């Protein structure tokens, strides 16, 4: 189903809260990491270096609250926590992978545009 830009913009106030929850850099990257397989907190943190402990904790709680990940406490010594993607979260895999691929392909062009912008005398 294709939506026109006008239809999308007409419903922007309804979709904005959802986009605010999923479209930040850490959410995109976390969901991409755990789409591969469930992962423990420290494994996610290591893959997303330089994310801070606090930022990762907050992002995972937000994703869990929104039904995109599940949290499973593993009774071990020490206790471990593993995060897995839900079917709802998994539905974001394809668009997130496409976004990450785009970022990898186009980052050089963006850097060139930023450098050109920063060189402008009127800035």
């Amino acid at each position: 189903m294709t939506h026109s830009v006008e239809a999308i913009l007409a419903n922007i106030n309804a979709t904005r809260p959802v986009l605010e929850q999923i479209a930040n850099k850490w959410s995109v990257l976390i969901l991409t990491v755990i789409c591969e397989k469930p992962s423990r907190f420290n494994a996610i943190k290591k893959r997303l270096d330089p994310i801070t402990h606090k930022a990762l904790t907050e992002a995972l709680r937000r994703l869990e609250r929104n039904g995109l990940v599940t949290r499973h406490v593993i009774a071990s010594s020490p206790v471990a926590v593993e995060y897995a993607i839900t079917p709802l979260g998994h539905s974001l895999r394809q668009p997130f992978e496409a976004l990450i691929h785009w970022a990898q392909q186009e980052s050089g062009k963006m850097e060139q545009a930023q450098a050109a912008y920063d060189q402008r005398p009127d800035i």
Side-chain angles (χ1 to χ4, degrees), residues 46-82:
K46 187 181 293 184
R47 295 262 324 260
L48 298 180
D49 186 50
I51 191 170
T52 65
H53 189 279
K54 180 182 177 188
L56 180 56
T57 298
E58 290 172 356
L60 286 166
R61 284 182 182 157
R62 185 175 55 254
L63 292 169
E64 183 181 11
R65 181 175 182 262
N66 288 300
L68 301 172
V69 302
T70 58
R71 179 180 183 270
H72 175 70
V73 177
I74 301 168
S76 60
S77 182
V79 173
V81 178
E82 184 176 75

Side-chain angles (χ1 to χ4, degrees), residues 3-11:
H3 297 287
S4 70
V5 173
E6 293 81 20
I8 292 170
L9 292 176
N11 293 316

Side-chain angles (χ1 to χ4, degrees), residues 17 31 38 50 55 75 85-86 88 119:
L31 289 172
I85 197 152
T86 65
L88 179 61
Q119 297 291 324

